[in-house]
């Protein structure tokens, strides 16, 4: 008699371009992976666009600053939600090795925040008194932010999400996502939801859209035209 291994009932994990890992388990943290994809893509676009945007194109610099503010709000909301809602819940359930990983998550957030502020100040200066030196300093800050955030996201995807899979239930995760949605609010979700969908194509887009609720798909569609106008203006010179 031939026996077959039991088929896993765990969800198929989403794996998007640039993502470091997708640990197996009972949780489907696909929205976190979608956000990470958006953060990576945005920082790469900013880092590529700033060095080649003409100093005297004031309209594009204003659009870049507005687009950076949108990115910054989305990333700040993501990090604050983790620091106040996710990591404290996990710490109650973790062993000492896992607690060290979660402590590193918060430390890495603290490392990222000053870099983001440096970039914000650079964009503000470029919309006021633009010059070659300010643009070069901003480009350097963006490259450093891209590297630091990239390492953090990879660490989170590889180690922190593995802890989520071991220590949380689907009910826990759904409650966390509901709290995150309430923190964002309807207006902010409408404004930033198209950011999450940008750059998703083919099977990746199909996999994401099959998972997200109809209400979020509607907000992406409603907010899409306004988002694309700003995005196209900001990244007009993007060589990527």
């Amino acid at each position: 008699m031939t026996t077959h291994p039991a088929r896993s009932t765990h969800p198929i994990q989403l794996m998007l371009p640039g993502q470091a890992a997708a640990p197996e388990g009972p949780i489907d943290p696909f929205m976190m992976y979608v956000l990470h994809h958006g953060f990576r893509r945005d920082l790469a676009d900013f880092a590529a666009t700033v060095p080649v945007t003409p100093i005297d194109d004031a309209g594009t610099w204003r659009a870049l600053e507005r687009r950076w503010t949108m990115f910054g709000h989305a990333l700040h909301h993501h990090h604050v939600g983790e620091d106040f809602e996710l990591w404290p819940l996990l710490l109650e359930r973790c062993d000492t090795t896992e607690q060290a990983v979660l402590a590193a998550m918060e430390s890495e957030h603290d490392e990222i925040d000053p870099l983001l502020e440096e970039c914000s100040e650079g964009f503000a200066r470029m919309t006021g008194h633009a010059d070659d030196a300010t643009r070069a300093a901003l480009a350097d800050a963006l490259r450093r932010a891209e590297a630091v955030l990239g390492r953090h996201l990879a660490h989170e995807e590889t180690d922190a999400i593995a802890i989520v899979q071991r220590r949380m239930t689907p009910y826990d995760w759904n409650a966390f996502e509901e709290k995150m949605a309430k923190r964002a609010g309807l207006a902010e979700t409408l404004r930033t939801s198209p950011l999450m969908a940008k750059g998703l194509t083919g099977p990746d887009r199909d996999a994401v859209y099959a998972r997200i609720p109809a209400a979020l798909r509607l907000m992406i569609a409603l907010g899409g035209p306004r988002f694309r106008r700003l995005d196209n203006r900001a990244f007009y010179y993007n060589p990527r």
Side-chain angles (χ1 to χ4, degrees):
M1 179 177 174
T2 302
T3 59
H4 299 279
R7 182 174 296 177
S8 173
T9 58
H10 292 166
I12 297 172
Q13 298 296 318
L14 184 67
M15 192 75 183
L16 295 174
Q19 191 174 317
E24 291 293 325
I27 311 299
D28 186 9
F30 75 93
M31 188 56 72
M32 184 169 286
Y33 296 144
V34 172
L35 287 167
H36 287 190
H37 175 266
F39 297 150
R40 287 183 170 104
R41 181 210 60 234
D42 267 11
L43 265 180
D45 284 342
F46 281 114
T49 302
V50 162
V52 298
T53 299
I55 298 296
D56 59 355
D57 191 342
T60 297
W61 286 110
R62 287 193 295 271
L64 278 166
E65 183 182 29
R66 287 175 57 206
R67 184 62 174 78
W68 174 262
T69 298
M70 178 184 290
F71 162 80
H73 282 169
L75 182 59
H76 178 72
H77 168 72
H78 179 68
H79 282 176
V80 167
E82 290 177 338
D83 287 344
F84 286 90
E85 302 289 353
L86 184 57
W87 309 146
L89 173 65
L90 286 172
L91 279 170
E92 297 175 356
R93 308 176 181 186
C94 287
D95 60 29
T96 54
T97 300
E98 293 168 332
Q99 288 171 358
V101 171
L102 300 183
M105 291 295 105
E106 292 198 45
S107 296
E108 289 165 14
H109 286 178
D110 291 341
E111 183 183 4
I112 292 164
D113 288 344
L115 284 170
L116 299 181
E117 182 60 30
E118 185 179 347
C119 292
S120 295
E121 292 171 357
F123 280 113
R125 286 194 294 271
M126 288 303 296
T127 59
H129 302 285
D131 56 43
D132 288 320
T134 300
R135 182 178 65 177
L138 174 57
D140 177 68
L142 285 165
R143 286 191 295 270
R144 286 183 280 119
E146 185 181 10
V148 171
L149 182 63
R151 288 194 297 271
H152 166 69
L153 296 180
H155 190 189
E156 185 173 307
E157 290 160 357
T158 302
D159 295 330
I161 298 300
I163 298 171
V164 166
Q165 296 288 15
R166 289 193 296 270
R167 302 297 186 181
M168 294 181 74
T169 67
Y171 176 86
D172 295 329
W173 185 259
N174 290 338
F176 163 66
E177 289 199 322
E178 287 177 7
K179 289 178 181 179
M180 293 290 282
K182 288 180 181 178
R183 278 180 174 271
L186 183 60
E188 182 68 12
T189 301
L190 180 64
R191 185 165 48 251
T192 61
S193 57
L195 182 154
M196 299 183 294
K198 179 187 171 184
L200 294 172
T201 59
D204 292 332
R205 186 181 188 278
D206 293 342
V208 170
Y209 272 65
R211 286 169 160 90
I212 61 177
L216 185 54
R217 290 198 298 272
L218 177 61
M219 283 191 278
I220 291 171
L222 291 174
R226 182 177 182 181
F227 170 80
R228 285 189 291 273
R229 284 194 296 272
L230 174 60
D231 197 67
N232 291 338
R233 186 69 178 92
F235 296 120
Y236 181 77
Y237 298 100
N238 187 358
R240 279 167 33 93

